[in-house]
Amino acid sequence: MAEDLWYWKYKLTARQPVNAKSQRREFVGALVRIDEGFGCLHPWPELGDPSLEKCLEDLAGPRRWSLVRRTVRSAKEDADARFIGDPLLEEIDVPKSHATLPWQDDRILESAVSKGFDRIKMKVGRDRAAEQRYLIEAAAKFPNLRWRLDANETFEPAEAESFLLGLPEEFRWKIDFVEDPCPYAESTWSALKSRCGVPLAVDREAAPVSSAAQVMVVKPASDEPWLLAEAAVSMGQQVIVTSSMEHPLGQCAAAWEAAKLNVQFPGLVGVCGLQTHHLFTPCPFSERLGRWSPEFQSPGGTGLGFDDLLERLPWKKLS
Ligand SMILES: O=C(O)CCC(=O)c1ccccc1C(=O)O
């Protein structure tokens, strides 16, 4: 039987640019409705994804891209749960999250600490000297925080090394990991790890074959979590599941995958990156995810949640 296929385009507005690869403040994506299930499609063209239009075309047609396939997979699981009235996120523990802080802002850092975050993920690679000063000061003010630095591959290997060695040793001990310091290569990453003494985390394409990384970042929006988790186990890595900084429905899909992996592979999943709705101006969906906190709050409803809000969207038929 042919599928019933609908979409609704959304726009998220960030308070400031959210990573070193992108100066955009507005991010478009789509919620999709496949029969009775809902999923989120949120491409990052600056990180190599096809445009939203291309993704929607692919969704209506061959479904070649993993981003699109993952959305379909998630919507089907959502449909099954809705059919039996099962609220996915209310019957399982979602791992805690770090505070995603794309901007160096004292007030936001203080707010993160007061809300109980003990790990901070900061974007680096835009203004290195300022970032180093900021990190040193922030660590002096909040000595118990641990840091996750995400460079989105903006450094050359030598720059990554000088950036990290330019941080005091006491600070380097507080680094949980550095994510994508430079493009992945076994030799450069191994050298960086041994010279700087900090764990490295790998994100996106390189992930399944990245034995020089200590941490694997899994984004369920585009990755198949189970396969990557098995690869991580075989390489002795820890897994961190993150959102794709997408619509709250997609965040819930990522949270659900994080919770499942945590059950399927006990001890594998570390503190995740699932709390990203505060980066954007609030909407009725993000309000359901509650205040910014290390604990993920279920939005309520069946499946991935938001039943009433989803029902009310002006869905368009995809053909
Ligand atoms: O890891 C997080 O805290 C949130 C996820 C995140 O940062 C991200 C999400 C989508 C695309 C790129 C990135 C990134 O790592 O910059």
Side-chain angles (χ1 to χ4, degrees), residues 19 21-22 44-49 152 203-205 219:
N19 65 42
K21 280 268 174 83
S22 168
W44 279 89
E46 53 272 81
L47 301 177
D49 290 334
N152 294 113
D203 190 3
R204 297 178 78 87
E205 291 86 351
K219 288 190 165 67

Side-chain angles (χ1 to χ4, degrees), residues 10-310:
Y10 64 78
K11 185 167 76 186
L12 303 177
T13 308
R15 290 186 285 175
Q16 290 178 45
V18 295
N19 65 42
K21 280 268 174 83
S22 168
Q23 286 307 310
R24 278 198 293 153
R25 297 272 301 279
E26 297 203 321
F27 302 88
V28 292
L31 297 188
V32 304
R33 176 176 200 153
I34 305 175
D35 296 329
E36 297 310 315
F38 299 91
C40 177
L41 193 48
H42 192 84
W44 279 89
E46 53 272 81
L47 301 177
D49 290 334
S51 67
L52 179 61
E53 296 311 320
K54 291 234 162 80
C55 286
L56 288 171
E57 252 171 56
D58 191 51
L59 176 63
R63 300 186 178 171
R64 246 183 242 121
W65 285 307
S66 63
L67 196 67
V68 172
R69 289 193 199 179
R70 292 290 312 149
T71 302
V72 173
R73 185 74 215 97
S74 165
K76 296 215 154 136
E77 215 170 339
D78 178 64
D80 290 344
R82 286 182 197 274
F83 182 71
I84 56 171
D86 184 12
L88 291 175
L89 288 164
E90 276 168 31
E91 286 156 9
I92 195 164
D93 289 327
V94 176
K96 286 191 188 178
S97 289
H98 57 230
T100 304
L101 287 190
W103 321 296
Q104 286 118 54
D105 182 317
D106 283 329
R107 284 162 312 172
I108 303 180
L109 179 63
E110 271 163 37
S111 156
V113 172
S114 76
K115 291 177 166 68
F117 287 101
D118 61 0
R119 282 173 178 75
I120 306 292
K121 174 169 157 176
M122 216 186 84
K123 304 279 171 180
V124 295
R126 280 175 285 204
D127 180 350
R128 290 149 202 192
E131 288 155 2
Q132 285 170 326
R133 277 197 305 276
Y134 183 81
L135 288 169
I136 293 165
E137 270 173 36
K141 207 154 151 198
F142 301 109
N144 296 328
L145 287 178
R146 292 193 59 77
W147 297 83
R148 297 172 163 190
L149 307 182
D150 184 1
N152 294 113
E153 300 187 345
T154 44
F155 291 115
E156 295 293 322
E159 290 171 336
E161 183 174 334
S162 72
F163 180 83
L164 293 171
L165 293 179
L167 291 163
E169 200 174 3
E170 311 85 78
F171 183 85
R172 272 183 274 141
W173 290 335
K174 295 182 179 177
I175 297 182
D176 239 10
F177 58 76
V178 180
E179 183 174 337
D180 292 337
C182 49
Y184 183 83
E186 192 79 35
S187 56
T188 47
W189 278 46
S190 301
L192 196 57
K193 161 84 174 72
S194 65
R195 293 205 194 113
C196 304
V198 297
L200 302 179
V202 67
D203 190 3
R204 297 178 78 87
E205 291 86 351
V209 284
S210 53
S211 54
Q214 288 67 51
V215 178
M216 185 191 283
V217 178
V218 172
K219 288 190 165 67
S222 48
D223 305 325
E224 209 297 295
W226 174 275
L227 290 178
L228 285 187
E230 285 197 317
V233 169
S234 76
M235 293 185 280
Q237 294 165 335
Q238 189 182 45
V239 165
I240 303 296
V241 181
T242 79
S243 81
S244 197
M245 298 201 280
E246 71 280 74
H247 187 276
L249 181 80
Q251 265 179 274
C252 288
W256 165 240
E257 295 295 339
K260 274 194 294 180
L261 277 194
N262 196 34
V263 171
Q264 292 157 339
F265 299 88
L268 179 69
V269 181
V271 172
C272 291
L274 303 164
Q275 294 289 59
T276 46
H277 49 292
H278 65 286
L279 300 172
F280 307 100
T281 36
C283 69
F285 284 88
S286 65
E287 278 160 12
R288 299 267 169 102
L289 294 183
R291 298 188 54 203
W292 194 34
S293 139
E295 282 88 29
F296 196 87
Q297 179 181 315
S298 163
T302 59
L304 294 170
F306 307 107
D307 305 17
D308 55 325
L309 295 178
L310 290 167

